[in-house]
Amino acid sequence: MADTTGHPTDTEAPSDTNGTPRKSSWRHIGPGIVVAATGVGAGDLVATLIAGSNFGYTLLWAAIVGCLVKISLAEAAGRWHLSTGRTLFDGWASLGRWTTYFFVVYAVIWGFVYGAAAMSSSALPLQALFPDVLDLKGWGIVCGLVGLAFVWFNKYAVFEKVMTVLVGVMFVVTVYLAVRVTPNLPHALAGLVPVLPDEKDSILNTLGLIGGVGGTITLAAYGYWVNAKGWTNTGWMKVMRLDNRVAYATTGVFVVAMLFVGAELLHSANVAIASGDKGLIQLSDILAKEYGSGTAKFFLIGFFATSFTSLIGVWHGVSLMFADFVARYRGRTAARGEEVASGERERSWPFRAYLLWLTFPPIVLLFQGQPFRLIILYGVLGAAFLPFLALTLIWLLNSSRTPREWRNGPLSNAMLALAGLLFLILCVKQVWDQPWAEFF
């Protein structure tokens, strides 16, 4: 993909005197693999499956557009970190206290509910694979505690290696399934032409698929993972851009493969599956019937890899962001990327406190069910985060806060504006659809 800044900056001398340009190389990539693995959860795969089962290959183009939109968001976040040497939360704080209030409320409520959802999602395939060992709640607790211990005792380098292995498992499983169902390639190519399904609410359904392709707060965490990798100045800009494109090419493979499965296995047989993670359990039953129990178990292993990478990715990435927020709030001074690169944030008490928040309070929800009002607030805050991210990145990267040579160009502004509008529409729909009458 072209450089979204619109500037020929990859070959220019960086503004940071220590930022000697590095040649982009495959051996450097890593944060992109992490953001791809974290961003694509079980819910994304189910949404793509359902799109394939309902519309065949018609919305293949929308899945690809979704990847392009997320490339622009992650690239902008990474560019802010590298061009300014400051963290994204430091940039948000410069826009006013309202950003701090939004982030705190989001981190507390979203993290509480997401913790339970992530543990349940990781537990589902394990319960299906080992039904006589533990029940769903037991497996959920095990997944949460394993994720806690893994992130607590390991630094970014180990975290990245494990995520890379799990992404490899996801890649092999999804591509195998796509090949196994024998996709109709002429129909798939026709799906690259932007058309809308002939049905009610087709525009909103299409926008929902575009917006649901891999990533929520993990897009903002990308800049932190870039710093944690040791990339802290503009010399790494070209490497970061390659890394980011690899991330969303990988994401594209996942979603296109699952759309193929939905189109061939479900659409052609007129089979419907439930939304949410349980839809993947239904798919494993269908795969067992069509291709045997070996294929079904292979798929469940991929399902677990998909869910568990999202769990440990959020446990690490959002905890890193929360630690940066606390450091910035307490110090009242600029938060620098070098501090993230040093591993200081991962050893801090706010990082570990948020890890505990993501793990232990949500375990209570596994037993008591998710409280109704909290779920509504969780849905609204989750829907509001991506418009917040897109619009604040436009603000930051077009202002004097960013060195002139690294500010947005026309293409980057257009992509971020498109992302902001897309996610704002989806946010309004999400807010509108909530049962507010029952909330009060």
Side-chain angles (χ1 to χ4, degrees):
M1 181 179 172
D3 172 10
T4 57
T5 64
H7 303 299
T9 50
D10 283 342
T11 57
E12 294 175 0
S15 58
D16 188 330
T17 56
N18 295 320
T20 305
R22 272 78 172 180
K23 184 182 294 186
S24 61
S25 170
W26 291 95
R27 66 187 176 88
H28 290 307
I29 64 172
I33 296 297
V34 172
V35 77
T38 308
V40 179
D44 298 291
L45 297 187
V46 172
T48 311
L49 271 172
I50 291 175
S53 66
N54 289 340
F55 311 119
Y57 294 103
T58 304
L59 292 180
L60 179 60
W61 66 272
I64 293 173
V65 169
C67 291
L68 296 177
V69 168
K70 302 295 174 59
I71 284 176
S72 66
L73 282 167
E75 188 274 342
R79 179 156 41 95
W80 166 265
H81 278 249
L82 295 182
S83 66
T84 66
R86 299 161 61 190
T87 65
L88 185 55
F89 186 83
D90 195 60
W92 285 339
S94 73
L95 301 178
R97 290 188 176 182
W98 65 276
T99 59
T100 299
Y101 300 145
F102 175 81
F103 180 79
V104 170
V105 174
Y106 177 88
V108 171
I109 295 177
W110 182 89
F112 183 36
V113 180
Y114 179 84
M119 285 187 264
S120 295
S121 179
S122 298
L124 276 170
L126 292 177
Q127 187 191 31
L129 284 166
F130 310 105
D132 300 324
V133 178
L134 289 171
D135 63 7
L136 186 65
K137 295 182 182 67
W139 279 119
I141 293 170
V142 168
C143 290
L145 294 178
V146 170
L148 170 68
F150 172 72
V151 176
W152 188 290
F153 292 109
N154 290 289
K155 296 299 180 277
Y156 175 80
V158 176
F159 167 72
E160 182 189 288
K161 286 181 173 64
V162 171
M163 292 288 272
T164 301
V165 171
L166 292 173
V167 165
V169 174
M170 292 167 59
F171 189 91
V172 170
V173 170
T174 54
V175 171
Y176 168 78
L177 289 178
V179 173
R180 192 78 170 83
V181 300
T182 317
N184 187 318
L185 293 181
H187 288 179
L189 290 174
L192 297 175
V193 179
V195 296
L196 295 174
D198 185 18
E199 67 154 30
K200 183 182 178 182
D201 295 331
S202 61
I203 294 178
L204 287 175
N205 288 334
T206 303
L207 291 178
L209 179 61
I210 294 173
V213 178
T216 51
I217 193 172
T218 55
L219 290 164
Y222 178 65
Y224 287 86
W225 286 323
V226 162
N227 286 160
K229 180 75 169 175
W231 306 347
T232 58
N233 56 53
T234 53
W236 291 101
M237 194 72 74
K238 193 171 184 179
V239 176
M240 182 275 292
R241 285 172 172 152
L242 173 65
D243 180 75
N244 181 42
R245 292 159 194 165
V246 169
Y248 282 94
T250 305
T251 300
V253 170
F254 293 150
V255 297
V256 168
M258 294 310 287
L259 191 137
F260 281 7
V261 174
E264 293 296 338
L265 191 62
L266 305 178
H267 181 70
S268 58
N270 198 26
V271 174
I273 61 171
S275 59
D277 300 343
K278 291 184 179 178
L280 295 183
I281 296 296
Q282 288 180 266
L283 178 62
S284 72
D285 294 337
I286 295 168
L287 289 170
K289 186 181 297 185
E290 292 288 329
Y291 304 113
S293 61
T295 296
K297 289 178 180 178
F298 189 51
F299 167 72
L300 288 171
I301 292 170
F303 176 7
F304 172 74
T306 300
S307 297
F308 195 66
T309 52
S310 293
L311 186 152
I312 59 175
V314 167
W315 263 229
H316 187 276
V318 184
S319 297
L320 205 54
M321 293 180 69
F322 185 80
D324 188 58
F325 151 70
V326 173
R328 174 65 172 76
Y329 183 77
R330 294 176 70 198
R332 305 285 181 181
T333 56
R336 312 296 299 181
E338 287 89 347
E339 293 165 348
V340 179
S342 71
E344 178 183 331
R345 294 285 187 266
E346 293 168 281
R347 295 188 295 269
S348 66
W349 69 261
F351 180 90
R352 290 177 170 173
Y354 195 73
L355 266 179
L356 296 173
W357 175 254
L358 282 168
T359 307
F360 288 104
I363 286 176
V364 177
L365 296 185
L366 295 178
F367 289 92
Q368 295 187 349
Q370 297 178 354
F372 176 72
R373 288 182 176 85
L374 202 59
I375 294 301
I376 291 179
L377 293 176
Y378 166 80
V380 170
L381 287 169
F385 186 82
L386 283 177
F388 166 79
L389 176 62
L391 297 174
T392 54
L393 283 172
I394 290 175
W395 191 346
L396 290 170
L397 292 168
N398 284 286
S399 72
S400 59
R401 297 172 181 85
T402 305
R404 182 174 299 278
E405 65 268 33
W406 301 107
R407 292 178 195 169
N408 280 357
L411 179 58
S412 185
N413 276 326
M415 291 297 289
L416 290 176
L418 174 64
L421 179 61
L422 165 67
F423 295 121
L424 188 60
I425 292 171
L426 294 175
C427 177
V428 170
K429 181 179 184 300
Q430 179 82 351
V431 173
W432 182 266
D433 288 344
Q434 298 296 334
W436 293 107
E438 298 174 37
F439 183 89
F440 302 103

